[in-house]
DNA sequence: AAACTTTATCGTAATATTGCAATATTAAGT
DNA sequence: ACTTAATATTGCAATATTACGATAAAGTTT
């Protein structure tokens, strides 16, 4: 096993799970945090900012990109990574919507 | 390796990562979804609702509980699981706050 | 083109996660 | 006490994740 049975769940459930999972690592949270406050979002800067080796950061960037949370634009021999607003809003909307339903709880 | 280097990141970054990670599985998203719409939130009902074996569901519930996203109250020989509003709002607030900063992006 | 910069990929070791059958635990009812 | 019902734990196999050194790929500069 070790494999998630995605076929047993709805597309929406899987979508949220994929996005949440991508945010489920402090390095990737740190990357998002950096992208938010940085004027320029160059990969090399992210590597310098994070306390992890370059291949590790590259891998984390790849996972965020695969989930659709960030996107990368080639700029010369560097790459400019940015947050994908559209995808990020899916997460925001999900938690906002979910939190508002949290009224009457039985326990 | 395989172990996350949590000590290299801030407490907040780790907190968000732990919560997001807990939501990073469709079964756990489905559990939260069920708890939101259910009048009663008994573990047995969740087991019946999900297309997974009882030990597997129990494990997912444990992970949500460890992350602090849900809490369980013993009711006779059954257990009533409920969403922990306080923790859930941490996630909501994080994504809300983050999404509002998403104005000027360079790419 | 050679040297340099920047980022990605490969390979690999250590650990974590997923899923379930079998079993244990705990409480309720008889 | 015995049985039933509900949930947790154990043990294990398969797979995924994390991390990084070494190396490759692609662009830039001289």
């Amino acid at each position: 096993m070790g494999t998630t049975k995605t076929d047993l769940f709805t597309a929406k459930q899987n979508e949220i799970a994929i996005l949440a999972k991508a945010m489920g690592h402090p390095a990737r949270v740190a990357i998002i945090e950096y992208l938010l406050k940085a004027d320029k979002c160059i990969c090399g800067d992210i590597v310098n900012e994070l306390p992890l080796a370059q291949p590790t950061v590259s891998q984390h960037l790849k996972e965020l990109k695969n989930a659709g949370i960030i996107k990368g634009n080639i700029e010369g021999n560097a790459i400019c990574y940015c947050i994908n607003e559209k995808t990020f809003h899916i997460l925001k909307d999900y938690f906002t919507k979910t939190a508002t339903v949290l009224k009457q709880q039985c326990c």
Side-chain angles (χ1 to χ4, degrees), chain A residues 2-96:
Chain A
T3 325
T4 298
K5 294 190 162 181
T6 50
D7 52 309
L8 300 178
F9 301 96
T10 70
K12 187 67 182 175
Q13 286 165 348
N14 280 305
E15 182 185 41
I16 296 299
I18 285 169
L19 297 181
K21 191 177 185 180
M23 295 297 297
H25 192 290
R28 298 196 286 268
V29 173
I31 289 171
I32 296 298
E33 202 168 275
Y34 178 78
L35 292 184
L36 282 171
K37 68 180 173 194
D39 295 350
K40 291 174 186 171
C41 42
I42 302 298
C43 177
D45 298 345
I46 301 171
V47 170
N48 291 333
E49 183 87 355
L50 292 201
L52 294 171
Q54 180 267 322
T56 308
V57 174
S58 184
Q59 199 173 262
H60 282 305
L61 286 166
K62 190 181 176 184
E63 274 170 75
L64 283 169
K65 208 169 97 184
N66 284 345
I69 294 181
I70 65 171
K71 45 189 173 180
N73 282 48
I74 298 167
E75 287 197 2
N77 64 342
I79 293 187
C80 172
Y81 277 111
C82 296
I83 294 176
N84 187 346
E85 280 195 59
K86 206 174 277 183
T87 311
F88 209 84
H89 274 289
I90 294 173
L91 266 178
K92 191 213 79 175
D93 291 345
Y94 174 78
F95 285 110
T96 302

